Amino acid sequence: MRVLVVSDIHANITAFDAVLEDAGVFDAVWCLGDLVGYGPDPNECVERMREFPEMLCIGGNHDKAAIGDLPLDAFNGEARRALEWTHRQLTPESIQFLHDLPEQSVREPYTFTHGSPRRPLWEYLLDAPKAQSNFASFNTMYCLVGHSHVAIAFLLNERNRCVTYLPSHSSSFHLGYQRMILNPGSVGQPRDQDPRAAYSLIDTDSLGWEWRRVEYDVGIVQSRMRLADLPSRLILRLEEGW
Ligand code: ZN
């Protein structure tokens, strides 16, 4: 089975559509959370996700805060303003969909979560020590995460030491007998100085994992954000990738 793995779409339908076109044919979609928040198209992103017959989607901190299931005071001023705006846009159907998203899910040999297996909604996995201490918090061979908006992998080597792997554009990887934590990067708001949308593809039979990047029309998204009067820093960061 060929699976599209996405995370942190953040209400950016232009980036998500570019990913869908670039990915080609796939059998299922796995989404690691934060469908909404920051961007101008929350309902469109929820609707696009709901259309997939084979879809697994985890709830992220922005998904839960946008519908009032998490307090907004845990977010900085700009994120909070965008979440308040998002809340006003969401249809009852979108709210229900986001409300129903689980914090974590398991489908052997994968665990799916937004931030980390230890703290699904909040923890950022960006370095080996933090990742190392998370391997005890899931039982499957692999754990797929998002949240940091950075394409990255952590693997446990033969000596049980956690090693960081930073993929370059179009890196392929074979998921072998080592336990791993993998992040496909962010579709709608990458934070690794590369503004292109990030995503992954996995072949669940051969266990081939691929990180990919695709350009999209950032300017069009920025103009929709200006029309919605979303914070200017959130508009700027899309073209710079931070
Ligand atoms: Zn996010």
Side-chain angles (χ1 to χ4, degrees):
M1 190 169 72
R2 185 174 152 96
V3 182
L4 172 67
V5 186
V6 291
S7 191
D8 298 280
I9 294 166
H10 280 296
N12 185 338
I13 195 70
T14 308
F16 191 21
D17 279 342
V19 163
L20 293 174
E21 202 185 314
D22 191 65
V25 181
F26 49 85
D27 306 297
V29 180
W30 294 344
C31 173
L32 304 165
D34 280 0
L35 257 177
V36 305
Y38 295 132
D41 323 298
N43 289 308
E44 290 80 355
C45 289
V46 170
E47 278 155 28
R48 191 75 87 253
M49 189 58 68
R50 288 172 63 185
E51 282 169 11
F52 296 112
E54 283 300 323
M55 179 267 293
L56 180 154
C57 190
I58 299 298
N61 52 328
H62 285 255
D63 300 322
K64 298 303 182 185
I67 57 170
D69 287 1
L70 273 185
L72 283 180
D73 53 23
F75 293 82
N76 69 45
E78 284 151 347
R80 193 184 321 153
R81 252 183 72 200
L83 283 167
E84 285 162 355
W85 178 87
T86 303
H87 184 71
R88 295 194 295 274
Q89 313 303 314
L90 289 171
T91 62
E93 294 76 28
S94 295
I95 290 173
Q96 188 63 50
F97 179 85
L98 295 171
H99 177 74
D100 291 342
L101 295 178
E103 267 187 27
Q104 211 164 84
S105 186
V106 174
R107 248 186 227 180
E108 281 292 340
Y110 311 96
T111 295
F112 307 89
T113 192
H114 180 60
S116 76
R118 181 168 59 186
R119 289 181 67 212
L121 287 177
W122 297 111
E123 190 172 32
Y124 292 91
L125 294 184
L126 282 164
D127 57 64
K130 223 175 220 179
Q132 171 108 36
S133 53
N134 263 279
F135 277 95
S137 300
F138 67 102
N139 297 316
T140 54
M141 193 78 170
Y142 314 111
C143 181
L144 310 191
V145 302
H147 193 47
S148 69
H149 298 210
V150 173
I152 200 166
F154 303 97
L155 47 124
L156 278 189
N157 68 15
E158 320 68 56
R159 292 191 301 278
N160 243 15
R161 298 289 302 173
C162 183
V163 180
T164 304
Y165 177 80
L166 273 172
S168 55
H169 173 50
S170 274
S171 301
S172 297
F173 205 82
H174 186 256
L175 309 188
Y177 296 109
Q178 291 163 319
R179 296 187 74 209
M180 282 186 207
I181 297 174
L182 297 124
N183 189 328
S186 167
V187 171
Q189 194 203 75
R191 293 181 190 162
D192 55 1
Q193 326 310 321
D194 180 347
R196 294 175 301 171
Y199 71 100
S200 286
L201 286 165
I202 179 172
D203 182 322
T204 57
D205 303 309
S206 69
L207 294 182
W209 173 284
E210 191 184 345
W211 280 276
R212 285 205 190 175
R213 302 303 283 246
V214 60
E215 263 177 63
Y216 69 95
D217 190 341
V218 173
I220 258 180
V221 182
Q222 291 175 313
S223 52
R224 286 202 300 280
M225 290 174 80
R226 267 182 224 108
L227 274 178
D229 201 23
L230 285 161
S232 52
R233 237 171 61 98
L234 299 182
I235 297 172
L236 177 72
R237 69 191 301 177
L238 288 187
E239 71 193 51
E240 296 176 350
W242 50 272

mmCIF file of all heavy atoms in Angstrom, residues 39-59:
data_model
loop_
_atom_site.group_PDB
_atom_site.id
_atom_site.type_symbol
_atom_site.label_atom_id
_atom_site.label_comp_id
_atom_site.label_asym_id
_atom_site.label_seq_id
_atom_site.Cartn_x
_atom_site.Cartn_y
_atom_site.Cartn_z
ATOM 1 N N GLY A 39 -3.532 29.449 8.951
ATOM 2 C CA GLY A 39 -3.822 29.720 7.541
ATOM 3 C C GLY A 39 -5.255 30.150 7.260
ATOM 4 O O GLY A 39 -6.106 30.144 8.156
ATOM 5 N N PRO A 40 -5.533 30.504 5.991
ATOM 6 C CA PRO A 40 -6.815 31.120 5.637
ATOM 7 C C PRO A 40 -7.928 30.156 5.220
ATOM 8 O O PRO A 40 -9.039 30.612 4.955
ATOM 9 C CB PRO A 40 -6.427 32.018 4.447
ATOM 10 C CG PRO A 40 -5.314 31.276 3.772
ATOM 11 C CD PRO A 40 -4.565 30.570 4.871
ATOM 12 N N ASP A 41 -7.662 28.853 5.132
ATOM 13 C CA ASP A 41 -8.669 27.949 4.543
ATOM 14 C C ASP A 41 -9.026 26.760 5.451
ATOM 15 O O ASP A 41 -8.909 25.601 5.027
ATOM 16 C CB ASP A 41 -8.143 27.387 3.201
ATOM 17 C CG ASP A 41 -7.353 28.407 2.409
ATOM 18 O OD1 ASP A 41 -7.937 29.443 2.033
ATOM 19 O OD2 ASP A 41 -6.147 28.172 2.176
ATOM 20 N N PRO A 42 -9.471 27.001 6.661
ATOM 21 C CA PRO A 42 -9.708 25.874 7.569
ATOM 22 C C PRO A 42 -10.779 24.894 7.084
ATOM 23 O O PRO A 42 -10.547 23.674 7.086
ATOM 24 C CB PRO A 42 -10.116 26.548 8.887
ATOM 25 C CG PRO A 42 -10.519 27.937 8.523
ATOM 26 C CD PRO A 42 -9.726 28.301 7.318
ATOM 27 N N ASN A 43 -11.931 25.397 6.648
ATOM 28 C CA ASN A 43 -12.998 24.466 6.222
ATOM 29 C C ASN A 43 -12.598 23.680 4.976
ATOM 30 O O ASN A 43 -12.898 22.485 4.865
ATOM 31 C CB ASN A 43 -14.298 25.233 5.955
ATOM 32 C CG ASN A 43 -14.913 25.744 7.244
ATOM 33 O OD1 ASN A 43 -15.103 24.986 8.192
ATOM 34 N ND2 ASN A 43 -15.196 27.039 7.288
ATOM 35 N N GLU A 44 -11.917 24.359 4.059
ATOM 36 C CA GLU A 44 -11.498 23.678 2.824
ATOM 37 C C GLU A 44 -10.561 22.510 3.153
ATOM 38 O O GLU A 44 -10.656 21.437 2.541
ATOM 39 C CB GLU A 44 -10.792 24.658 1.878
ATOM 40 C CG GLU A 44 -11.697 25.695 1.248
ATOM 41 C CD GLU A 44 -12.022 26.887 2.174
ATOM 42 O OE1 GLU A 44 -11.619 26.871 3.365
ATOM 43 O OE2 GLU A 44 -12.701 27.822 1.699
ATOM 44 N N CYS A 45 -9.658 22.723 4.095
ATOM 45 C CA CYS A 45 -8.712 21.654 4.443
ATOM 46 C C CYS A 45 -9.423 20.489 5.127
ATOM 47 O O CYS A 45 -9.120 19.322 4.850
ATOM 48 C CB CYS A 45 -7.585 22.206 5.309
ATOM 49 S SG CYS A 45 -6.462 23.268 4.368
ATOM 50 N N VAL A 46 -10.370 20.806 6.013
ATOM 51 C CA VAL A 46 -11.130 19.733 6.664
ATOM 52 C C VAL A 46 -11.924 18.956 5.620
ATOM 53 O O VAL A 46 -11.916 17.712 5.604
ATOM 54 C CB VAL A 46 -12.082 20.314 7.744
ATOM 55 C CG1 VAL A 46 -13.034 19.232 8.248
ATOM 56 C CG2 VAL A 46 -11.272 20.891 8.901
ATOM 57 N N GLU A 47 -12.567 19.687 4.709
ATOM 58 C CA GLU A 47 -13.379 18.991 3.694
ATOM 59 C C GLU A 47 -12.523 18.110 2.798
ATOM 60 O O GLU A 47 -12.902 16.982 2.477
ATOM 61 C CB GLU A 47 -14.153 20.018 2.852
ATOM 62 C CG GLU A 47 -15.427 20.474 3.556
ATOM 63 C CD GLU A 47 -15.901 21.859 3.098
ATOM 64 O OE1 GLU A 47 -15.601 22.225 1.940
ATOM 65 O OE2 GLU A 47 -16.545 22.549 3.915
ATOM 66 N N ARG A 48 -11.366 18.622 2.391
ATOM 67 C CA ARG A 48 -10.480 17.833 1.531
ATOM 68 C C ARG A 48 -10.076 16.541 2.250
ATOM 69 O O ARG A 48 -10.052 15.469 1.665
ATOM 70 C CB ARG A 48 -9.245 18.660 1.166
ATOM 71 C CG ARG A 48 -8.398 18.058 0.094
ATOM 72 C CD ARG A 48 -8.991 18.191 -1.319
ATOM 73 N NE ARG A 48 -8.629 19.448 -1.942
ATOM 74 C CZ ARG A 48 -9.456 20.478 -2.124
ATOM 75 N NH1 ARG A 48 -10.708 20.401 -1.744
ATOM 76 N NH2 ARG A 48 -9.056 21.589 -2.701
ATOM 77 N N MET A 49 -9.755 16.648 3.532
ATOM 78 C CA MET A 49 -9.321 15.474 4.292
ATOM 79 C C MET A 49 -10.467 14.465 4.423
ATOM 80 O O MET A 49 -10.255 13.259 4.297
ATOM 81 C CB MET A 49 -8.838 15.928 5.678
ATOM 82 C CG MET A 49 -8.168 14.859 6.508
ATOM 83 S SD MET A 49 -6.722 14.110 5.730
ATOM 84 C CE MET A 49 -5.551 15.462 5.742
ATOM 85 N N ARG A 50 -11.661 14.986 4.659
ATOM 86 C CA ARG A 50 -12.807 14.082 4.845
ATOM 87 C C ARG A 50 -13.157 13.294 3.601
ATOM 88 O O ARG A 50 -13.779 12.243 3.678
ATOM 89 C CB ARG A 50 -14.040 14.893 5.260
ATOM 90 C CG ARG A 50 -13.983 15.409 6.662
ATOM 91 C CD ARG A 50 -15.117 16.350 6.947
ATOM 92 N NE ARG A 50 -16.414 15.696 6.839
ATOM 93 C CZ ARG A 50 -17.578 16.324 6.949
ATOM 94 N NH1 ARG A 50 -17.605 17.610 7.155
ATOM 95 N NH2 ARG A 50 -18.698 15.672 6.849
ATOM 96 N N GLU A 51 -12.755 13.821 2.436
ATOM 97 C CA GLU A 51 -13.107 13.166 1.166
ATOM 98 C C GLU A 51 -12.400 11.831 0.973
ATOM 99 O O GLU A 51 -12.878 10.994 0.223
ATOM 100 C CB GLU A 51 -12.694 14.061 -0.020
ATOM 101 C CG GLU A 51 -13.635 15.211 -0.289
ATOM 102 C CD GLU A 51 -13.028 16.208 -1.281
ATOM 103 O OE1 GLU A 51 -11.993 15.879 -1.901
ATOM 104 O OE2 GLU A 51 -13.588 17.305 -1.415
ATOM 105 N N PHE A 52 -11.246 11.644 1.622
ATOM 106 C CA PHE A 52 -10.475 10.425 1.348
ATOM 107 C C PHE A 52 -11.142 9.211 1.986
ATOM 108 O O PHE A 52 -11.387 9.212 3.198
ATOM 109 C CB PHE A 52 -9.047 10.553 1.885
ATOM 110 C CG PHE A 52 -8.261 11.627 1.218
ATOM 111 C CD1 PHE A 52 -7.884 12.767 1.908
ATOM 112 C CD2 PHE A 52 -7.906 11.518 -0.118
ATOM 113 C CE1 PHE A 52 -7.172 13.774 1.288
ATOM 114 C CE2 PHE A 52 -7.193 12.518 -0.754
ATOM 115 C CZ PHE A 52 -6.827 13.649 -0.044
ATOM 116 N N PRO A 53 -11.412 8.172 1.192
ATOM 117 C CA PRO A 53 -12.052 6.995 1.773
ATOM 118 C C PRO A 53 -11.149 6.274 2.771
ATOM 119 O O PRO A 53 -11.630 5.770 3.785
ATOM 120 C CB PRO A 53 -12.350 6.105 0.553
ATOM 121 C CG PRO A 53 -11.573 6.660 -0.586
ATOM 122 C CD PRO A 53 -11.236 8.084 -0.264
ATOM 123 N N GLU A 54 -9.838 6.241 2.482
ATOM 124 C CA GLU A 54 -8.899 5.590 3.407
ATOM 125 C C GLU A 54 -8.101 6.680 4.102
ATOM 126 O O GLU A 54 -7.083 7.136 3.600
ATOM 127 C CB GLU A 54 -7.966 4.649 2.646
ATOM 128 C CG GLU A 54 -8.596 3.331 2.245
ATOM 129 C CD GLU A 54 -9.073 2.533 3.447
ATOM 130 O OE1 GLU A 54 -8.392 2.560 4.494
ATOM 131 O OE2 GLU A 54 -10.139 1.903 3.341
ATOM 132 N N MET A 55 -8.558 7.099 5.257
ATOM 133 C CA MET A 55 -7.944 8.257 5.903
ATOM 134 C C MET A 55 -7.825 8.014 7.394
ATOM 135 O O MET A 55 -8.750 7.508 8.027
ATOM 136 C CB MET A 55 -8.823 9.467 5.615
ATOM 137 C CG MET A 55 -8.377 10.771 6.208
ATOM 138 S SD MET A 55 -9.131 11.051 7.803
ATOM 139 C CE MET A 55 -10.836 11.244 7.353
ATOM 140 N N LEU A 56 -6.644 8.335 7.922
ATOM 141 C CA LEU A 56 -6.450 8.291 9.374
ATOM 142 C C LEU A 56 -5.937 9.669 9.758
ATOM 143 O O LEU A 56 -4.979 10.159 9.174
ATOM 144 C CB LEU A 56 -5.420 7.213 9.694
ATOM 145 C CG LEU A 56 -5.039 6.969 11.155
ATOM 146 C CD1 LEU A 56 -4.553 5.536 11.315
ATOM 147 C CD2 LEU A 56 -3.973 7.928 11.650
ATOM 148 N N CYS A 57 -6.599 10.319 10.688
ATOM 149 C CA CYS A 57 -6.195 11.680 11.044
ATOM 150 C C CYS A 57 -6.169 11.839 12.561
ATOM 151 O O CYS A 57 -7.092 11.442 13.258
ATOM 152 C CB CYS A 57 -7.163 12.684 10.406
ATOM 153 S SG CYS A 57 -6.612 14.393 10.543
ATOM 154 N N ILE A 58 -5.062 12.416 13.047
ATOM 155 C CA ILE A 58 -4.858 12.659 14.475
ATOM 156 C C ILE A 58 -5.172 14.132 14.756
ATOM 157 O O ILE A 58 -4.977 14.979 13.901
ATOM 158 C CB ILE A 58 -3.368 12.382 14.822
ATOM 159 C CG1 ILE A 58 -3.006 10.925 14.513
ATOM 160 C CG2 ILE A 58 -3.027 12.739 16.255
ATOM 161 C CD1 ILE A 58 -3.791 9.931 15.305
ATOM 162 N N GLY A 59 -5.624 14.431 15.955
ATOM 163 C CA GLY A 59 -5.875 15.817 16.326
ATOM 164 C C GLY A 59 -4.617 16.487 16.850
ATOM 165 O O GLY A 59 -3.875 15.901 17.636
#
